[in-house]
Amino acid sequence: MYNGRKVIVKEKYSYVDQETVPSFEGVVMETLRDQTGSVNGLYVLSIDDRGCGLVRQTSLSDVTFVDGEG
């Protein structure tokens, strides 16, 4: 349902590292589900300025869908 969708992940502050993780655009690669099938998070692929791919785990509440469906 979410795989392949374009998203923007909101900027957030890490209290552990005391750093701000900037917002980024990416594509949903996989969903993180619990044993009952509920979606707990998403794995999002983003490409940085150097052309390197990075997969990040994020919660569903931090994601805005770009392609109009939601």
Side-chain angles (χ1 to χ4, degrees):
M1 168 171 34
Y2 296 112
N3 295 352
R5 305 271 305 273
K6 283 179 141 182
V7 295
I8 297 175
V9 179
K10 291 189 269 183
E11 176 181 289
K12 59 182 164 181
Y13 182 76
S14 171
Y15 291 97
V16 174
D17 300 331
Q18 297 188 358
E19 294 181 349
T20 301
V21 178
S23 65
F24 62 92
E25 287 189 34
V27 176
V28 177
M29 298 302 295
E30 189 66 46
T31 55
L32 176 64
R33 296 178 183 266
D34 62 14
Q35 60 264 32
T36 64
S38 299
V39 176
N40 290 337
L42 301 172
Y43 292 105
V44 178
L45 172 67
S46 64
I47 307 296
D48 66 9
D49 297 336
R50 300 172 298 171
C52 297
L54 180 64
V55 176
R56 301 180 191 178
Q57 180 182 347
T58 187
S59 65
L60 194 57
S61 63
D62 291 338
V63 171
T64 302
F65 290 93
V66 178
D67 54 7
E69 299 178 29

